[in-house]
Amino acid sequence: MRAILGQLISLLPHGPVALARVVDTTGPGPREQGAAMIVTASGSVHGSLSSGCVESAVLASAQEVLASGHAVTDRFGYADADGPAVGLTCGGEIEVFIERISHERLPILLALRQRIENGFPVALATTLDATPEWKLLTPEDTDPWRGVDRDARALLAAGRCGVVGADECAAHGAPRPRTFIQVFTAPARMILAGANDFVRALSRTGRQLGYRVTVVDARETFATATRFPAADEVVVDWPHRYLRGEQQAGRIDRRTVVCVLTHDTKFDVPMLAEALSCARIGFVGALGSRRTHAERVERLRAAGVTDDQLGRLRSPVGLDLDARTPDETAISIAAQILAERGGASALPLDRLDGPLHRDLLEVRSMKRIGRRIAGNTGP
């Protein structure tokens, strides 16, 4: 939708249009969630939803939506290229939501464009029913909306689109409408220092969680795209030098995760010192035993890292899952990242009561309970 947003804004003063968006995908597909197509009352088309295999069916639905004013959902699955059925030849499935929008949507579309142009993260929430409601969601706005705002902001924090809702809201006892959250921001970044099996496993897990994963290592022999196929990019450079360059270029924000998995002092100490000196980085973790951690802390202090900065270091990184293999360790680390990102307690759910999704005060209370369980009675 980002690509046709300007056209959409320019068309609305001349009359209603039908907006079709891919809201869900399964398997291989020609376009991603949020891909959009506009159909005007005269039948002109802007944008596309596929490589041409479903547009004709969507066009027919769009004309019906323009006439009735009621939104519809079309689903397309696999169809033989030589057969009569309309569908995808790539083997995937897509769900397309088609709604009529008029000039009344202009204020929210103009606000959306301004947020995007200014580089601020924003999400457009759309209820997937016959009479859709829209809502702009930002990290700063914490007002509840239709019971889906928490899930929506989790997607916004991760930088990925998705469908939420369609179940009971435990906090309010009201149905949560099925809602498409279209996120307009770069995905959160995960920067992994090292080129080993633990990095390979965590790159896969990070990718599944919606992170843009970068693997960085100074050893050209080990840092190759072939060895880390799940990573979005593999960089051959000294990790601390790469991170410093990314900070100076403004490509680091509070959603960024940095994990050092090198087991090599000449790599991990400079990288951790660089990461801990940047307050914008949201999570800094390092792999290693408790002995390794103690020795590393002394080296970091000698390198000028302050106690306040060391307080941000998660080392040994990960939750206590008795993880041993690289894949198990990746799950342990990812679980800690998710818990800290959402302000969660990381306690077993069967040791808690009440709703599974809690507000901030409840989360803080659960964290205090968790520390007491662990034998730490600090604030």
Side-chain angles (χ1 to χ4, degrees):
M1 181 170 163
R2 185 196 299 256
I4 63 168
L5 183 57
Q7 290 174 299
L8 182 58
I9 290 172
S10 65
L11 287 169
L12 284 182
H14 305 287
V17 301
L19 175 65
R21 283 182 285 169
V22 176
V23 298
D24 200 10
T25 63
T26 303
R31 298 297 302 276
E32 70 286 351
Q33 283 178 296
M37 184 174 84
I38 303 169
V39 179
T40 68
S42 64
S44 64
V45 176
H46 306 267
S48 66
L49 301 178
S50 70
S51 55
C53 39
V54 304
E55 265 80 356
S56 60
V58 172
L59 177 59
S61 293
Q63 291 169 337
E64 294 176 5
V65 167
L66 279 170
S68 69
H70 296 296
V72 300
T73 300
D74 286 346
R75 293 178 176 83
F76 302 96
Y78 171 73
D80 192 316
D82 297 323
V86 176
L88 304 175
T89 58
C90 53
E93 296 180 2
I94 62 172
E95 179 180 347
V96 178
F97 185 69
I98 310 164
E99 59 183 312
R100 185 176 73 176
I101 61 174
S102 65
H103 69 279
E104 295 173 350
R105 298 292 197 195
L106 271 175
I108 196 168
L109 288 170
L110 290 170
L112 173 63
R113 182 169 68 178
Q114 184 175 14
R115 292 277 308 187
I116 293 173
E117 289 177 347
N118 291 338
F120 297 132
V122 62
L124 175 61
T126 306
T127 59
L128 301 180
D129 49 35
T131 55
E133 294 182 43
W134 281 18
K135 170 73 172 177
L136 276 191
L137 299 172
T138 67
E140 302 83 27
D141 177 13
T142 58
D143 291 336
W145 187 72
R146 305 299 303 272
V148 301
D149 52 291
R150 294 185 184 280
D151 292 341
R153 289 190 179 87
L155 290 173
L156 180 56
R160 58 192 178 96
C161 303
V163 176
V164 300
D167 61 7
E168 291 296 316
C169 178
H172 306 289
R176 306 191 315 156
R178 189 165 183 263
T179 305
F180 176 51
I181 310 301
Q182 184 161 7
V183 173
F184 297 87
T185 184
R189 298 194 63 189
M190 177 179 285
I191 300 174
L192 306 178
N196 53 40
D197 290 342
F198 291 96
V199 173
R200 186 182 301 114
L202 188 54
S203 68
R204 288 194 298 265
T205 304
R207 182 73 175 269
Q208 290 172 335
L209 293 176
Y211 284 94
R212 176 175 177 79
V213 180
T214 299
V215 173
V216 55
D217 193 288
R219 300 168 298 175
E220 187 174 0
T221 301
F222 297 100
T224 66
T226 302
R227 296 190 69 230
F228 301 96
D232 293 282
E233 58 181 349
V234 180
V235 177
V236 179
D237 198 353
W238 284 83
H240 72 282
R241 186 167 60 189
Y242 170 77
L243 182 60
R244 183 181 304 146
E246 293 300 285
Q247 292 184 61
Q248 293 171 349
R251 290 190 286 266
I252 299 296
D253 61 29
R254 57 187 178 81
R255 302 175 300 151
T256 302
V257 169
V258 172
C259 289
V260 176
L261 313 173
T262 59
H263 294 299
D264 191 328
T265 300
K266 67 177 179 291
F267 289 115
D268 59 16
V269 170
M271 179 59 161
L272 288 172
E274 188 68 39
L276 293 171
S277 70
C278 179
R280 293 192 304 274
I281 295 176
F283 184 97
V284 181
L287 191 66
S289 66
R290 298 196 185 279
R291 177 178 177 179
T292 298
H293 168 70
E295 294 173 349
R296 184 189 290 135
V297 165
E298 292 307 312
R299 291 190 175 96
L300 287 169
R301 284 199 176 102
V305 178
T306 67
D307 286 343
D308 285 344
Q309 291 171 337
L310 286 171
R312 298 176 50 228
L313 176 61
R314 299 297 177 257
S315 175
V317 67
L319 298 185
D320 180 17
L321 305 183
D322 193 31
R324 298 178 184 273
T325 68
D327 286 322
E328 291 172 347
T329 302
I331 297 298
S332 168
I333 296 171
Q336 184 178 19
I337 292 170
L338 288 176
E340 297 210 7
R341 187 181 76 185
S345 67
L347 290 172
L349 292 176
D350 64 0
R351 301 180 72 173
L352 304 174
D353 55 16
L356 298 183
H357 302 286
R358 303 170 184 272
D359 62 30
L360 186 57
L361 291 177
E362 289 175 306
V363 166
R364 288 172 178 168
S365 176
M366 289 303 99
K367 283 188 171 183
R368 288 194 291 269
I369 293 172
R371 285 192 287 266
R372 289 198 294 272
I373 290 174
N376 181 351
T377 58

